Amino acid sequence: MRNILLASTLLVATLSPFTAAMAQQAPAPAAAPAESAILTPERVFANPSLAGPVAKGVSLSPDGELVAFLRSREDDVDVQDLWAAPTGEGEPFKLIDARALVPDAGELSEAEKARRERMRISARGVVEYSWDEQGRYILAPLEGDIFLATRADGTVRRLTETEADEIDAKVSPEGNFVSWVRDQDLVVYDLATNTETAITTDGDGLKTWATAEFIAQEELDRDTGYWWSPTERYIALQHTDESTVDIIPRLDITGGGATTVEQRYPRAGRPNAVVELYVHDRESGQRVKVDLGANADIYLARVNWSSDGSVLYVQRLSRDQKTLDLLSVDPATGASRVIVSQTSNAWVPLSHDFRALSNGNFIWSSEETGWKHLYLYNRDGRRLRAITSGQYPVKSLAGVNAETGEVFFTASMRDGRELPIEQQLFRASLRRTMTPVAVTSAGGWWGASMNRTGTAFVGTYSDLNTPSQSALYRADGTRIRWIEENRLEPGHPAYPFASRRGEVTFGTLESHGETLVWQMTTPPGFDPTKTYPVVMQVYGGPSGGGVKRGWQSSTNQLLTEAGYIVFRLDNRGEGDRSAAFKQALYLRMGQPEIEDQVLGADYLRSLPFVDDDRIAMMGWSYGGFMALMAATEPKMGLAASLAGAPPTEWGLYDTAYTERYMSTPEANEAGYAASDVIPRLPNLTGRLLLMHGMADDNVILENSTRVINALQENSQPFELMLYPGQRHGVRGNERQLQQWRTYLDFLDRTIGTRSH
């Protein structure tokens, strides 16, 4: 091992400007009480939340005079109320009190449970809401019924009270109607006459109207199946037929028994649901079918309207996801034509960056240069100019000011170069390609939600010493007012534990010509002359990346309080980065990611304060897959692995996700075989803790039972924790407390104080 001073000197001496920004040490922790408290699992999973008063789902009213947001109740962090605040003077006020309106929240329908699971919604109460485009109303589904808040007088009106769940409710653009899906059909409610009209009536069994199918919700980031035109004349709506999808019998095991669910689950290489798109004309009552092409085996990826409602834009993704076509559709006839196509030798990524402009032009993003950037097109699909360019990817289009020609977007860069650990809001121009101008400050992680006119935005920000804050800003970045300042000061739930937050450092490693970013958190009272065990936290798969200069989770602090160094490395394939960085795992999932994690483990063992023999890895979902793959990779030499809800054979997982990165099992037999965990189990090193929800409808429990069976057949010891009634995540303070007590106990026995 090299001397720590020498190692640090060499690292700094060889840093490029990119790497230097990554490796800088975190600022000193915020001021804390003279006697700081030790954070315990019991406090982490209790009320109120240690995150403090965090505003969720923040949005501006269309006129920019009111800000709405969701806030967890202090007496129950799992229940949310809807709040609002004037953008000028005045204090925030509660607009919808979930418990006052529905004191006894009943059981959600299976369809709504599944929909919330796809949207990763674990809270109850008000979990989503929407404005009409005039800002007169806020619509809020609440425990399966629909409530409408009137902006002018603050009254809340209950629109439904039925046994069935009304889901995916929306206010029409001009505020004359409310719509929802009930019992697989679309219903429109006239606010003037208080009458319902069934737009469809034949939704039943395996045929559903106006609802995104499973694969669109889970893998295409599309949660709705119908779209109002701006003038309210037309409604585009999806029809889904699941009869083609294989039935995968699944035991839904709870604490009170088991139910067999005949789940329609499209596994890789197998048939998808048949999806069609129609346009309903409210004036004539007629419905026309949209021409999506001769090949029905496609994905309905995105649907948007032109600003005047005369054109319906549809993004059609090929089954192999190598071609994304933008269709221009005549809503009166359903006739379509392809106006833009994007292609890739691996896969074309989807985004929410399409924006129709009032002059008929539109903005759309593309990754054709190797980096995701924004482009301006005319109504016929002819590209007019690049809006952004450079060695960095645009994360998302935030807003457009049509009057000034300003385009706002989020990105992770400084000085025109990629900087993955930070994110800011930037400004560019519709009229010319220019060097983007930062609207928000550097040094942390920003998110932004702009109003329709591009004149103001709600910004959320955090850094290593700042919990998530939200405020209203002018388009130039000037703060107008706080929404939730969430200052880390006396009275904040996390304040008593602040001084014991571990010190965080960032750095980089080079792998196959790519720069990997990492972060390391050391325990309180860290002494570099001693040696420490390490917990490598991992996700590893296609995602937004986990290494960020932002507020660190309280569960991260539980690990450092227990005496562990916590290390995270974003391997190739992970993060919103270049096309080449992401596509390194194409057809090879579980191979380049593990190569990079081995590199990370080797780096850790080069540090004199790391105990070489006490390194563990923990992860959930794709991270659980990574933990199993790493545990069976001899070069990792792990002492312990904690794998939660892991995919263990990609042929068992769904079509859109798996085929995007791995093609089909028939076309990529070698890739699927190499990523199967079972043949690797004889190489298992250290101890294994396997966890899974017993009602998981995403990564089905079969993924873990096949590992359980193989380990038993091999006479290999392991530990197991199953969660009755839980789906892909463990929900609720009580169960999460048990989960983390189990984590900490296992780590203590394998790499902690009781392990030696």
Side-chain angles (χ1 to χ4, degrees):
M1 289 186 185
R2 294 174 294 176
N3 178 276
I4 185 171
L5 179 61
L6 175 62
S8 298
T9 303
L10 289 175
L11 177 66
V12 174
T14 59
L15 292 181
S16 67
F18 171 88
T19 313
M22 301 299 302
Q24 61 182 290
Q25 184 169 317
E35 296 184 3
S36 57
I38 294 175
L39 187 63
T40 65
E42 291 73 21
R43 177 60 193 91
V44 170
F45 300 105
N47 299 313
S49 169
L50 287 175
V54 176
K56 305 169 188 174
V58 186
S59 69
L60 271 167
S61 63
D63 61 9
E65 294 182 0
L66 200 68
V67 179
F69 57 95
L70 302 173
R71 179 193 282 177
S72 295
R73 298 174 68 92
E74 290 193 1
D75 60 349
D76 190 343
V77 70
D78 293 325
V79 178
Q80 296 176 159
D81 297 319
L82 179 62
W83 285 69
T87 55
E89 298 296 326
E91 294 300 312
F93 58 92
K94 190 180 293 186
L95 192 61
I96 293 182
D97 186 317
R99 285 293 175 257
L101 291 177
V102 185
D104 184 18
E107 188 77 6
L108 295 170
S109 69
E110 185 62 28
E112 180 63 359
K113 287 180 183 177
R115 181 172 176 269
R116 293 190 182 194
E117 181 70 19
R118 304 285 79 76
M119 297 173 70
R120 303 299 186 259
I121 294 174
S122 59
R124 295 295 295 264
V126 184
V127 298
E128 55 183 331
Y129 69 94
S130 59
W131 294 94
D132 71 305
E133 292 190 7
Q134 281 65 45
R136 292 182 295 172
Y137 304 112
I138 298 179
L139 184 72
L142 177 56
E143 307 298 356
D145 284 314
I146 308 299
F147 294 83
L148 187 72
T150 302
R151 163 91 170 276
D153 57 14
T155 58
V156 179
R157 176 179 167 193
R158 186 170 193 155
L159 301 185
T160 66
E161 193 167 3
T162 63
E163 291 186 5
D165 280 348
E166 285 80 24
I167 65 175
D168 197 12
K170 302 176 185 180
V171 185
S172 62
E174 295 182 354
N176 294 310
F177 305 95
V178 172
S179 53
W180 57 74
V181 178
R182 179 198 292 144
D183 293 332
Q184 300 175 236
D185 282 307
L186 180 63
V187 176
V188 170
Y189 184 95
D190 190 320
L191 291 173
T193 63
N194 298 323
T195 57
E196 290 186 8
T197 300
I199 301 301
T200 65
T201 57
D202 57 343
D204 185 52
L206 299 176
K207 296 183 179 181
T208 303
W209 285 100
T211 301
E213 76 278 20
F214 167 88
I215 211 69
Q217 295 179 37
E218 182 62 41
E219 308 300 0
L220 304 184
D221 196 21
R222 179 170 65 79
D223 301 317
T224 190
Y226 72 100
W227 302 263
W228 282 92
S229 70
T231 63
E232 299 183 343
R233 176 176 175 178
Y234 297 113
I235 305 174
L237 66 163
Q238 169 180 340
H239 181 264
T240 305
D241 182 352
E242 287 190 294
S243 62
T244 55
V245 180
D246 293 340
I247 296 174
I248 306 297
R250 172 175 63 82
L251 275 180
D252 195 328
I253 304 173
T254 69
T259 303
T260 300
V261 177
E262 301 291 314
Q263 182 173 346
R264 296 279 173 169
Y265 189 95
R267 284 180 167 168
R270 299 296 299 155
N272 275 321
V274 175
V275 173
E276 299 171 330
L277 185 65
Y278 291 81
V279 177
H280 173 80
D281 187 336
R282 284 190 49 260
E283 291 183 3
S284 67
Q286 299 300 306
R287 188 164 64 227
V288 298
K289 184 178 179 180
V290 173
D291 180 8
L292 295 179
N295 183 5
D297 194 13
I298 52 91
Y299 294 107
L300 178 64
R302 300 285 184 268
V303 178
N304 300 92
W305 285 96
S306 63
S307 60
D308 62 1
S310 64
V311 179
L312 182 68
Y313 293 105
V314 177
Q315 295 180 40
R316 178 184 66 193
L317 183 65
S318 61
R319 172 69 184 258
D320 64 8
Q321 301 184 58
K322 296 178 185 292
T323 302
L324 178 63
D325 294 321
L326 180 64
L327 308 181
S328 175
V329 178
D330 181 348
T333 66
S336 69
R337 59 191 178 96
V338 177
I339 59 172
V340 185
S341 290
Q342 297 183 18
T343 60
S344 170
N345 291 327
W347 70 86
V348 180
L350 297 177
S351 74
H352 293 284
D353 297 329
F354 183 91
R355 187 68 54 90
L357 305 177
S358 58
N359 63 1
N361 294 341
F362 61 86
I363 298 171
W364 202 24
S365 60
S366 169
E367 209 173 57
E368 63 188 54
T369 65
W371 301 90
K372 179 184 169 188
H373 283 292
L374 301 173
Y375 299 89
L376 179 67
Y377 299 82
N378 72 5
R379 68 179 72 238
D380 294 320
R382 182 170 63 87
R383 181 178 292 177
L384 301 178
R385 68 182 58 86
I387 297 172
T388 63
S389 64
Q391 301 293 302
Y392 67 91
V394 167
K395 295 291 186 70
S396 64
L397 175 63
V400 179
N401 186 322
E403 289 190 8
T404 63
E406 294 172 307
V407 178
F408 298 89
F409 64 94
T410 53
S412 295
M413 66 164 169
R414 278 197 203 165
D415 302 321
R417 298 297 300 274
E418 186 182 37
L419 182 60
I421 65 170
E422 297 182 7
Q423 181 167 289
Q424 293 171 261
L425 180 68
F426 292 87
R427 171 174 55 83
S429 174
L430 278 174
R431 297 163 185 161
R432 59 188 177 89
T433 303
M434 58 174 279
T435 300
V437 176
V439 175
T440 57
S441 59
W445 196 268
W446 282 91
S449 173
M450 296 203 82
N451 62 355
R452 284 189 305 158
T453 57
T455 56
F457 67 93
V458 172
T460 59
Y461 174 79
S462 79
D463 58 35
L464 293 171
N465 297 316
T466 308
S468 180
Q469 300 179 321
S470 56
L472 177 66
Y473 298 85
R474 294 189 181 92
D476 64 2
T478 303
R479 188 173 68 237
I480 299 171
R481 67 159 297 158
W482 287 109
I483 299 169
E484 292 286 12
E485 188 175 6
N486 201 15
R487 287 176 60 85
L488 187 62
E489 60 185 8
H492 190 285
Y495 184 73
F497 315 102
S499 69
R500 294 184 61 82
R501 289 185 299 123
E503 188 174 73
V504 182
T505 53
F506 296 90
T508 61
L509 297 172
E510 297 299 316
S511 175
H512 296 79
E514 297 286 358
T515 300
L516 314 178
V517 297
W518 57 258
Q519 70 181 54
M520 181 186 297
T521 310
T522 51
F526 174 71
D527 182 349
T529 66
K530 299 180 179 179
T531 59
Y532 294 82
V534 177
V535 176
M536 299 178 71
Q537 290 186 326
V538 67
Y539 181 75
S543 71
V547 178
K548 297 178 180 177
R549 198 187 299 279
W551 183 252
Q552 303 297 298
S553 71
S554 54
T555 53
N556 198 57
Q557 189 170 346
L558 288 180
L559 294 171
T560 55
E561 283 285 13
Y564 306 111
I565 291 173
V566 179
F567 183 81
R568 172 127 193 179
L569 172 75
D570 284 353
N571 49 246
R572 283 172 293 157
E574 185 174 12
D576 293 322
R577 302 191 57 184
S578 71
F581 191 92
K582 293 182 292 184
Q583 292 172 7
L585 54 65
Y586 185 56
L587 304 179
R588 303 176 61 232
M589 287 205 299
Q591 298 178 58
E593 308 99 294
I594 294 301
E595 291 174 7
D596 291 349
Q597 294 297 331
V598 168
L599 186 66
D602 289 344
Y603 171 70
L604 287 169
R605 290 189 173 96
S606 75
L607 303 174
F609 51 80
V610 168
D611 189 326
D612 294 5
D613 298 323
R614 290 195 292 160
I615 297 178
M617 178 176 285
M618 66 185 301
W620 197 273
S621 192
Y622 201 106
F625 165 69
M626 288 287 291
L628 283 173
M629 294 294 283
T632 54
E633 171 50 63
K635 294 179 182 178
M636 285 293 301
L638 294 179
S641 301
L642 303 85
T648 64
E649 198 277 293
W650 286 106
L652 300 177
Y653 201 57
D654 68 47
T655 52
Y657 184 92
T658 311
E659 293 172 13
R660 180 186 306 147
Y661 309 116
M662 291 286 283
S663 187
T664 63
E666 295 75 21
N668 184 23
E669 186 176 346
Y672 277 79
S675 61
D676 189 343
V677 170
I678 299 299
R680 301 168 58 94
L681 291 177
N683 296 326
L684 182 68
T685 63
R687 299 300 300 272
L688 171 66
L689 170 61
L690 186 62
M691 291 180 162
H692 215 123
M694 301 183 79
D696 196 332
D697 61 350
N698 180 6
V699 179
I700 294 172
L701 184 58
E702 180 184 349
N703 283 274
S704 283
T705 56
R706 63 193 298 270
V707 172
I708 295 168
N709 181 67
L711 289 169
Q712 291 171 346
E713 287 186 339
N714 296 345
S715 302
Q716 293 174 273
F718 66 100
E719 298 183 34
L720 178 67
M721 182 61 63
L722 299 175
Y723 288 92
Q726 299 299 291
R727 300 204 178 205
H728 194 48
V730 177
R731 313 295 189 191
N733 275 341
E734 294 80 6
R735 288 181 189 269
Q736 288 183 317
L737 173 57
Q738 188 277 342
Q739 179 185 20
W740 272 87
R741 282 173 169 169
T742 302
Y743 280 152
L744 292 169
D745 174 72
F746 178 77
L747 287 169
D748 193 27
R749 289 185 287 106
T750 54
I751 64 170
T753 56
R754 286 188 285 165
S755 68
H756 65 290

